[in-house]
Amino acid sequence: IQIKAKLDALVTAGTLASVQEDDFSVGVLYRDFGKFPVAILSGAAIGNSILTNRDNLRAHTFNILILSKAEDVTSPDQVETLMENVINAFDNDPTLQGTADGSVEPSTSSPEPVSSAGKNYIAFMVTVKANAVKNLTY
């Protein structure tokens, strides 16, 4: 919930034009997006590690695909600035409003050109690893 809220705030700030949550019904590159850059938020992968004998550290890893229309990108700096702005939003909220009390670790992939159905995009993935302490109840 906090990941989506953070992305929505980036729309309000003008960093992103739209956000979609992936329902996995149609491949991402086969969709029509009205506005760019668009962020597509996928469901989380969940990992777990032992923290203490009473607590585990639960890691929720979210992948966010960011697509820009290739013809709208005028320089590599434009893409790098977008990457930085998205990462900064997560860096500046290190607990995601208290839901990730074990830290937030954002990172990005390298931007790549991708094409599908006659459309050309510049794409990169933002990965947000949100760690939370999970109290054991045995």
Side-chain angles (χ1 to χ4, degrees):
I1 294 173
Q2 289 300 322
I3 303 288
K4 173 77 165 59
K6 194 63 58 189
L7 294 171
D8 288 339
L10 289 169
V11 171
T12 301
T15 301
L16 296 171
S18 64
V19 176
Q20 294 187 5
E21 291 184 86
D22 197 353
D23 64 3
F24 308 104
S25 62
V26 177
V28 171
L29 296 178
Y30 295 100
R31 298 179 194 168
D32 288 320
F33 301 104
K35 300 176 182 177
F36 292 88
V38 59
I40 301 99
L41 173 62
S42 69
I46 301 173
N48 203 42
S49 62
I50 297 170
L51 188 61
T52 70
N53 65 339
R54 302 298 298 166
D55 301 303
N56 281 355
L57 189 61
R58 184 78 39 95
H60 298 261
T61 304
F62 296 87
N63 288 315
I64 306 159
L65 178 64
I66 308 289
L67 292 176
S68 296
K69 286 178 24 179
E71 61 264 24
D72 293 344
V73 176
T74 58
S75 74
D77 289 344
Q78 183 179 347
V79 177
E80 290 172 12
T81 298
L82 177 58
M83 294 168 77
E84 285 286 336
N85 288 337
V86 174
I87 291 293
N88 288 343
F90 293 100
D91 278 343
N92 289 319
D93 188 0
T95 67
L96 290 177
Q97 303 294 308
T99 60
D101 57 358
S103 76
V104 175
E105 303 171 38
S107 62
T108 71
S109 68
S110 298
E112 298 287 337
V114 294
S115 298
S116 177
K119 299 173 188 172
N120 298 311
Y121 304 106
I122 304 297
F124 63 90
M125 188 72 70
V126 175
T127 301
V128 178
K129 184 177 174 186
N131 299 300
V133 176
K134 172 71 173 161
N135 301 109
L136 304 177
T137 58
Y138 56 88

